[in-house]
């Protein structure tokens, strides 16, 4: 009988791993991309759409659900799985990053972070324990510790003091929900900014705590791709090899390939759904923007190599028309395709690791996406 948190590696190709992570709502095949469901839903898509495209796990948003409709209300409805009728695994972030990135006014202390609701301006406070209680109420399969994600350009002294507080918070989170005390598993989050020695220090401190997985935080915060990859390749291979590695908030198709090549197993990013809103679509030949006039009378599918509902049933001309007319269907069809593309890319990555052809797959997409 497998237990939530079990992580079995089936194949490797360089640092890349093909594994299975067990959760209380089923097994997850990694490497994996996790669609972001901000308010308990992946915008414009139904659970049926997500199952059709084989989304194995989605992200719930602790910060937003806490403020509205309330994590306690969701708990009284049986938790987020029941409330949103999503039967597969859910990962929730701790909400700290959303507070830091969405709120100007907030107060940070050893105790936690104080902030005002963007809905009605009311005052709120997240301690590490509170962040875990919210995720317990939501019933997510994978919980993230409350951490501080320092901004890009933070100096070494601040970054060092911050990672030490993040470690103390991580310990408080684990003590508040000890391993095995329920079906939910918990990941620690490695910080340390862009200082390699501080990244190692954060990891050394966190690996003393018995987490079922470890995330790389503090990246994709405005740095260059080179700076992100530099830290990524430095720290990912040093993380416990027998536990899942989750790179938070990343990224483009090339970032996913680079992350897998560094040994990362899990990714989340708002890009596929957010880009769908502005007509930027990912295809096997690279990125295109559907609003370009050249597509006005183009009767070819968005991506001839894509098997998704959008590509099988509509032309670029029609998708451009929907976009220009600001039709709701534009957002839905574009989101469906972009997420399908990301999930299919991860499926290709899993197969490539199994048959030792990951380097070739990476080179193929680097050529298609070279023009950025
Ligand atoms: C986009 N770049 C980025 N994201 C980061 C995130 C958020 C990851 N995505 C969470 C979802 C966002 C949409 C709603 C649902 C939750 C980070 N989160 C934490 N806790 N710590 C980081 O250092 C941390 C660092 C991050 N960098
Ligand atoms: Zn498609």
């Amino acid at each position: 009988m497998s237990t939530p948190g079990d992580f079995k590696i089936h194949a490797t190709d360089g640092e890349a791993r093909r594994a299975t992570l067990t959760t209380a709502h089923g097994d997850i095949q990694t490497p994996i991309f996790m669609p972001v469901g901000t308010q308990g839903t992946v915008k414009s898509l139904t659970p049926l759409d997500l199952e059709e495209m084989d989304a194995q796990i989605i992200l719930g948003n602790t910060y937003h659900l806490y403020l509205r409709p309330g994590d306690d209300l969701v708990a009284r409805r049986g938790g987020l799985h029941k409330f949103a009728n999503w039967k597969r695994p859910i990962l929730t972030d701790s909400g700290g990053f959303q507070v830091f990135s969405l709120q100007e006014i907030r107060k940070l202390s050893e105790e936690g972070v104080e902030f005002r609701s963007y809905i009605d301006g009311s005052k709120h406070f997240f301690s590490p324990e509170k962040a875990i209680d919210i995720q317990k109420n939501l019933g997510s399969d994978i919980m993230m510790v409350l951490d501080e994600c320092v901004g890009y350009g933070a100096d070494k002294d601040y970054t060092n003091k911050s990672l030490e507080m993040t470690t103390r918070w991580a310990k408080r989170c684990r003590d508040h929900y000890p391993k095995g005390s329920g079906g939910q598993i918990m990941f620690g989050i490695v910080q340390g900014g862009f200082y390699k020695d501080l990244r190692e220090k954060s990891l050394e401190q966190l690996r003393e705590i018995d987490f079922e997985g470890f995330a790389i935080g503090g990246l994709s915060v405005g740095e260059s791709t080179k700076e992100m990859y530099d830290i990524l390749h430095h720290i990912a291979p040093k993380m416990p090899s027998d536990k899942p590695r989750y790179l938070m908030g990343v990224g483009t198709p090339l970032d996913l390939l680079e992350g897998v090549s560094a040994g990362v197993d899990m990714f989340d990013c708002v890009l596929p759904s957010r880009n769908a809103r502005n007509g930027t679509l990912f295809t096997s030949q690279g990125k295109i923007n559907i609003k370009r006039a050249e597509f006005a009378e183009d009767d070819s599918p968005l991506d001839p190599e894509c098997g998704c509902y959008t590509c099988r049933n509509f032309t670029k001309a029609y998708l451009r028309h929907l976009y220009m007319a600001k039709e709701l269907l534009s957002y839905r069809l574009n989101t469906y395709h972009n997420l399908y593309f990301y999930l299919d890319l991860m499926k290709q990555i899993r197969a490539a690791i199994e048959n030792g052809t990951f380097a070739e797959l990476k080179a193929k997409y680097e050529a298609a996406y070279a023009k950025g």
Side-chain angles (χ1 to χ4, degrees):
M1 171 59 187
S2 49
T3 311
D6 283 355
F7 184 64
K8 284 186 184 51
I9 296 179
H10 310 299
T12 59
D13 187 344
E15 287 290 338
R17 302 111 65 83
R18 167 76 181 84
T20 300
L21 172 61
T22 298
T23 78
H25 281 85
D27 286 354
I28 300 170
Q29 302 307 323
T30 68
I32 180 104
F33 178 78
M34 304 182 283
V36 165
T38 300
Q39 322 248 28
T41 150
V42 177
K43 290 189 187 324
S44 82
L45 298 185
T46 65
L48 181 62
D49 293 330
L50 291 164
E51 283 163 19
E52 251 175 25
M53 61 176 80
D54 201 14
Q56 299 177 70
I57 175 171
I58 62 169
L59 259 69
N61 190 331
T62 302
Y63 170 72
H64 283 95
L65 291 166
Y66 160 79
L67 289 174
R68 181 177 55 196
D71 56 296
D72 47 342
L73 180 147
V74 174
R76 288 193 295 275
R77 316 259 85 70
L80 194 51
H81 288 87
K82 211 148 171 297
F83 190 50
N85 192 27
W86 175 252
K87 300 178 175 61
R88 296 179 176 184
I90 295 175
L91 180 147
T92 46
D93 196 357
S94 49
F97 181 80
Q98 279 74 43
V99 171
F100 292 118
S101 54
L102 296 179
Q103 307 272 350
E104 289 72 49
I105 8 111
R106 78 243 170 195
K107 273 218 288 294
L108 181 64
S109 70
E110 181 65 35
E111 255 319 286
V113 58
E114 182 188 288
F115 62 96
R116 284 189 180 282
S117 161
Y118 71 94
I119 299 171
D120 60 14
S122 53
K123 236 185 200 175
H124 297 269
F125 189 79
F126 277 1
S127 67
E129 294 79 7
K130 175 70 179 167
I132 294 300
D133 285 341
I134 295 168
Q135 295 176 82
K136 276 164 69 175
N137 273 342
L138 298 175
S140 55
D141 298 281
I142 304 173
M143 301 191 278
M144 303 307 293
V145 298
L146 184 69
D147 62 326
E148 183 189 7
C149 170
V150 296
Y152 178 57
D155 69 38
K156 190 162 189 177
D157 182 49
Y158 184 86
T159 304
N160 183 48
K161 286 200 172 41
S162 169
L163 80 85
E164 291 184 337
M165 185 178 71
T166 284
T167 302
R168 291 192 293 275
W169 284 4
K171 184 92 181 66
R172 285 169 58 183
C173 288
R174 180 82 283 179
D175 292 348
H176 192 62
Y177 187 90
K179 184 171 183 179
S181 57
Q184 298 172 264
I185 63 180
M186 192 184 295
F187 283 14
I189 303 176
V190 177
Q191 292 293 349
F194 295 87
Y195 304 97
K196 288 178 179 168
D197 53 343
L198 296 188
R199 283 283 174 179
E200 289 179 39
K201 178 177 177 182
S202 175
L203 176 58
E204 287 328 303
Q205 292 181 353
L206 288 174
R207 67 184 327 141
E208 299 302 312
I209 307 169
D210 197 6
F211 289 118
E212 288 90 344
F214 292 87
I216 302 172
L219 293 182
S220 184
V221 290
E223 74 279 12
S224 67
T225 299
K226 186 186 174 318
E227 287 172 301
M228 178 167 82
Y229 289 7
D230 203 28
I231 293 296
L232 181 60
H233 281 284
H234 181 77
I235 199 67
K238 292 180 170 63
M239 294 164 74
S241 56
D242 62 339
K243 296 195 173 167
R245 298 158 178 166
Y246 164 26
L247 177 52
M248 305 188 86
V250 173
T252 67
L254 292 189
D255 292 339
L256 300 184
L257 285 154
E258 194 70 30
V260 170
S261 77
V264 174
D265 309 295
M266 301 164 72
F267 303 86
D268 89 276
C269 190
V270 294
L271 209 54
S273 29
R274 182 171 296 167
N275 274 11
R277 254 200 303 276
N278 62 42
T280 304
L281 302 174
F282 296 97
T283 77
S284 50
Q285 317 304 315
K287 249 184 345 192
I288 68 168
N289 200 304
I290 197 64
K291 60 181 170 242
R292 291 167 63 92
E294 66 190 89
F295 300 125
E297 304 211 32
D298 183 335
D299 297 327
S300 68
L302 185 54
D303 182 350
E305 287 184 30
C306 179
C308 88
Y309 173 74
T310 301
C311 293
R312 279 186 288 108
N313 290 285
F314 305 99
T315 64
K316 290 194 183 82
Y318 182 64
L319 293 173
R320 180 177 185 276
H321 159 64
L322 291 180
Y323 182 86
M324 303 311 279
K326 297 193 179 5
E327 278 293 339
L328 276 177
L329 187 59
S330 168
Y331 185 42
R332 178 166 159 75
L333 292 178
N334 290 356
T335 302
Y336 192 104
H337 165 78
N338 272 357
L339 278 179
Y340 184 103
F341 176 83
Y342 264 64
L343 295 170
D344 188 59
L345 172 61
M346 299 316 285
K347 201 173 275 183
Q348 291 176 53
I349 287 174
R350 292 194 292 269
I353 297 170
E354 284 165 9
N355 54 42
T357 58
F358 177 69
E360 289 81 347
L361 182 73
K362 185 166 182 280
K364 173 194 160 195
Y365 279 95
E366 282 169 340
Y369 279 78
K371 43 199 172 307

